[in-house]
Amino acid sequence: MIVFFATKNPHKIREVESIKPHWIELEKLPDSIPDAPEYGDTFLENALSKALFYSKQLKAPVIADDSGLVIESLKGFPGIFSSRFMEGESYKRKMEKILKMLEGEKNRSAKFICNAVFSDVERGFVISSKGEVTGNIAEGIRGSEGFGYDPIFIPRGFSETFGELKEEIKNSISHRKKAFEKLFSMLRGLI
Amino acid sequence: MIVFFATKNPHKIREVESIKPHWIELEKLPDSIPDAPEYGDTFLENALSKALFYSKQLKAPVIADDSGLVIESLKGFPGIFSSRFMEGESYKRKMEKILKMLEGEKNRSAKFICNAVFSDVERGFVISSKGEVTGNIAEGIRGSEGFGYDPIFIPRGFSETFGELKEEIKNSISHRKKAFEKLFSMLRGLI
């Protein structure tokens, strides 16, 4: 089955390419397509609105995700604002700011959350799943693997950040891995 | 499992009560809850927005549907406008208007479509299904069973309208029956 992946982020594409089963063929969005609006106040709604938007535009099945870093002592911040926080600035700057906000804070608990959605509007069908990875915020920025906030996130059971762990290792335990693996396995039984 | 049903329509509640499996217990919406916004341009989006809205408000699992009559020679009208068309007027008036619009029209093909959604925002989970029943628009208003446009819709294989067929018969072949039966059977395998 050919499925469009609603992202222009090459890291995400590589990550999901490594997760998807052989019976799914991922297709990139056409360059000409406008960006989907993001106006939800949960990861689920944002993932849904992207998947529905592109599925309507392309009249084809689409997968989408929305994901972010949820920091306990910051009441869930940056959460759904993970990419929009300090928009236009580099992730290095964003991470420095987060570390500053956590200065002196003992509770470093955090998790990455991903909501993945499959949508085929023509068939009136949509399904979603959620993946989480728990861990802690590091004291500094470490490593250059991955993307986004990876270099300040230490997954539980590891001493390295997602920025230090090899891509294969991160992609085998990540929130996105869990969400899409569940999504594809549900889909398998339904279509 | 206790699930809220996002409707204040007693006909819909009775219909879905007769479809649901024993392991689902339907709960009515609290009277105090505000109405969900409806701004989608497909049945699927409207059903989703209702289910998500109430699931967020109630922090509980919710089912919702959006449904309507799609008339081929009217390019799908009234479709998602089925209930909003001539808002405030009785369905008798609405049906008279539809019959007038179809005067002299030989193509009476129509279908009822229902999109059903289950959503549990806390778990980041949503799933949908679609049910259709095809048929024809009658030449006049016939019968008083059912609700909405039932008295002008003759399902394929019958000579009576949904307004003339007994409730048990309609509820065994209806678009809502098909959509919710599929939804519950998918859910069964997933939760």
Side-chain angles (χ1 to χ4, degrees):
Chain A
M1 180 173 54
I2 295 174
V3 177
F4 286 88
F5 186 17
T7 187
K8 293 176 178 171
N9 181 332
H11 293 281
K12 279 197 190 183
I13 294 175
R14 212 161 60 229
E15 192 169 343
V16 175
E17 278 287 357
S18 79
I19 301 166
K20 71 161 194 69
H22 64 89
W23 51 273
I24 283 192
E25 198 178 318
L26 287 189
E27 192 77 47
K28 277 184 203 163
L29 293 178
D31 287 331
S32 56
I33 211 158
D35 283 340
E38 242 179 80
Y39 47 73
D41 56 17
T42 59
F43 293 119
L44 177 58
E45 285 163 296
N46 285 332
L48 275 168
S49 64
K50 280 187 259 187
L52 291 166
F53 175 84
Y54 289 117
S55 181
K56 278 202 290 186
Q57 294 262 333
L58 298 164
K59 297 184 193 304
V62 168
I63 55 169
D65 81 329
D66 196 45
S67 49
L69 180 62
V70 169
I71 300 175
E72 195 173 277
S73 66
L74 301 181
K75 299 189 167 81
F77 190 80
I80 57 164
F81 303 105
S82 292
S83 65
R84 281 168 285 171
F85 168 57
M86 293 173 62
E87 201 154 15
E89 298 274 6
S90 67
Y91 270 92
K92 186 166 173 291
R93 285 285 180 88
K94 295 186 190 195
M95 290 188 285
E96 282 166 356
K97 179 71 181 170
I98 296 278
L99 291 174
K100 199 144 188 71
M101 292 165 81
L102 289 175
E103 235 167 41
E105 175 61 59
K106 289 219 176 74
N107 176 7
R108 317 288 293 186
S109 292
K111 52 189 173 184
F112 268 124
I113 295 181
C114 174
N115 264 110
V117 167
F118 172 94
S119 165
D120 187 354
V121 171
E122 300 270 293
R123 292 177 51 211
F125 182 66
V126 65
I127 189 167
S128 78
S129 66
K130 187 181 177 181
E132 279 186 16
V133 54
T134 55
N136 286 293
I137 300 299
E139 296 287 341
I141 298 174
R142 286 163 26 197
S144 55
E145 296 279 337
F147 62 103
Y149 297 96
D150 284 350
I152 56 169
F153 182 80
I154 306 168
R156 187 185 288 166
F158 291 81
S159 52
E160 301 92 338
T161 67
F162 264 171
E164 294 172 309
L165 288 169
K166 282 213 162 57
E167 189 173 284
E168 306 87 80
I169 297 175
K170 179 199 160 186
N171 290 357
S172 70
I173 59 167
S174 76
H175 51 309
R176 194 166 286 109
K177 159 84 170 180
K178 290 175 187 166
F180 276 102
E181 206 165 58
K182 217 187 289 178
L183 189 77
F184 293 137
S185 108
M186 289 194 290
L187 260 183
R188 179 77 176 173
L190 295 177
I191 58 174
Chain B
M1 181 173 52
I2 296 173
V3 177
F4 286 88
F5 186 17
T7 186
K8 292 176 177 170
N9 181 331
H11 294 280
K12 278 197 190 180
I13 293 174
R14 216 163 55 229
E15 192 168 344
V16 175
E17 279 286 356
S18 78
I19 301 165
K20 71 161 194 68
H22 64 89
W23 50 273
I24 283 192
E25 198 178 319
L26 287 189
E27 192 78 44
K28 277 185 203 162
L29 292 178
D31 287 331
S32 56
I33 212 160
D35 283 342
E38 243 179 80
Y39 47 72
D41 56 17
T42 59
F43 294 118
L44 176 59
E45 285 162 297
N46 285 332
L48 274 168
S49 64
K50 279 187 261 187
L52 291 166
F53 175 83
Y54 290 117
S55 181
K56 277 203 290 186
Q57 294 262 333
L58 298 164
K59 298 185 191 305
V62 168
I63 55 169
D65 80 329
D66 196 46
S67 49
L69 180 62
V70 169
I71 300 175
E72 193 173 279
S73 67
L74 300 181
K75 299 190 168 77
F77 190 81
I80 57 163
F81 303 105
S82 293
S83 64
R84 281 168 285 172
F85 168 56
M86 292 173 64
E87 201 154 15
E89 297 274 7
S90 67
Y91 270 92
K92 186 166 173 290
R93 285 286 181 86
K94 295 185 188 194
M95 290 188 284
E96 283 166 358
K97 179 72 181 172
I98 296 279
L99 291 174
K100 197 142 189 77
M101 291 166 81
L102 289 174
E103 235 168 40
E105 174 62 57
K106 289 220 176 73
N107 175 8
R108 317 287 293 187
S109 291
K111 55 189 171 184
F112 268 122
I113 295 181
C114 174
N115 264 109
V117 167
F118 172 95
S119 164
D120 188 353
V121 171
E122 301 269 295
R123 291 176 52 210
F125 182 65
V126 65
I127 189 168
S128 78
S129 65
K130 186 181 178 181
E132 278 187 17
V133 53
T134 54
N136 286 293
I137 300 300
E139 295 288 340
I141 298 173
R142 286 163 26 196
S144 56
E145 295 279 337
F147 62 103
Y149 297 97
D150 284 350
I152 56 169
F153 181 79
I154 306 168
R156 187 183 287 165
F158 290 81
S159 51
E160 301 94 336
T161 67
F162 264 170
E164 293 171 310
L165 288 169
K166 284 214 163 55
E167 188 173 283
E168 305 86 79
I169 297 174
K170 179 199 160 187
N171 290 357
S172 71
I173 59 168
S174 76
H175 50 310
R176 195 165 287 112
K177 159 85 172 177
K178 290 176 187 165
F180 276 101
E181 206 164 57
K182 215 186 291 175
L183 188 77
F184 294 136
S185 106
M186 289 194 288
L187 261 184
R188 178 76 175 173
L190 296 177
I191 58 173

